[in-house]
Amino acid sequence: MRFLLDTHTLLWYDTAKALLSARVLALVRNRSHEVYVSSITAWELAIKWKLGRLPSARNLLEEYHSSLQVYGFLELPFSSVHALQASRYDQEHKDPFDRALAAQAQVEQLTLLSKDEVFDRFGVSRLW
């Protein structure tokens, strides 16, 4: 199976595994699955950390690439194909990070691992 981690899912995996559902934790820990982290996630973490909204992200940001490697996660670059898909969504939901992750999940046919039910409006496959 192939999964894309929402930003909070990656952060909680790194800092507070108890916040993850048992299902998500089991899926992410199973090394037979392909687990992707979007480059958008790094951008979102960095912006929100800089604004003081995610102080717990500091260590993850400092060790970002090595952490992904240790966890066995693959980085998913954000491409123009993803951007164009994100632009097709209804403008009601304006969060660019959510729109980008939803687009990547759809284009790449990945199941998004997220607690956030807003992704259901985008028609992506989501588990929690």
Side-chain angles (χ1 to χ4, degrees):
M1 296 181 76
R2 301 171 67 232
F3 301 102
L4 176 63
L5 301 184
D6 193 355
T7 302
H8 70 269
T9 308
L10 173 64
L11 182 60
W12 292 351
Y13 189 79
D14 186 67
T15 63
K17 288 180 179 64
L19 296 174
L20 298 172
S21 72
R23 173 200 258 176
V24 166
L25 191 56
L27 291 170
V28 171
R29 284 182 167 162
N30 184 335
R31 293 292 179 121
S32 70
H33 296 158
E34 291 179 13
V35 179
Y36 290 89
V37 176
S38 173
S39 56
I40 294 296
T41 291
W43 182 39
E44 182 176 11
L45 288 170
I47 287 172
K48 291 181 177 179
W49 178 80
K50 188 121 180 145
L51 293 172
R53 293 176 47 200
L54 284 179
S56 63
R58 181 180 180 175
N59 290 337
L60 177 58
L61 287 167
E62 288 175 354
E63 302 294 329
Y64 189 79
H65 291 102
S66 62
S67 293
L68 294 187
Q69 187 174 19
V70 166
Y71 297 147
F73 300 160
L74 305 166
E75 189 168 17
L76 179 62
F78 188 75
S79 72
S80 59
V81 173
H82 301 135
L84 292 170
Q85 177 62 31
S87 74
R88 292 183 183 103
Y89 295 132
D90 181 6
Q91 293 299 316
E92 183 178 308
H93 187 77
K94 299 192 185 312
D95 185 320
F97 304 118
D98 288 351
R99 296 168 70 84
L101 292 175
Q104 285 186 300
Q106 282 188 322
V107 168
E108 304 300 330
Q109 298 179 1
L110 301 169
T111 298
L112 188 63
L113 299 180
S114 176
K115 185 176 185 176
D116 194 348
E117 294 177 358
V118 73
F119 287 106
D120 299 341
R121 294 186 208 155
F122 293 106
V124 301
S125 173
R126 180 186 68 86
L127 291 175
W128 189 251

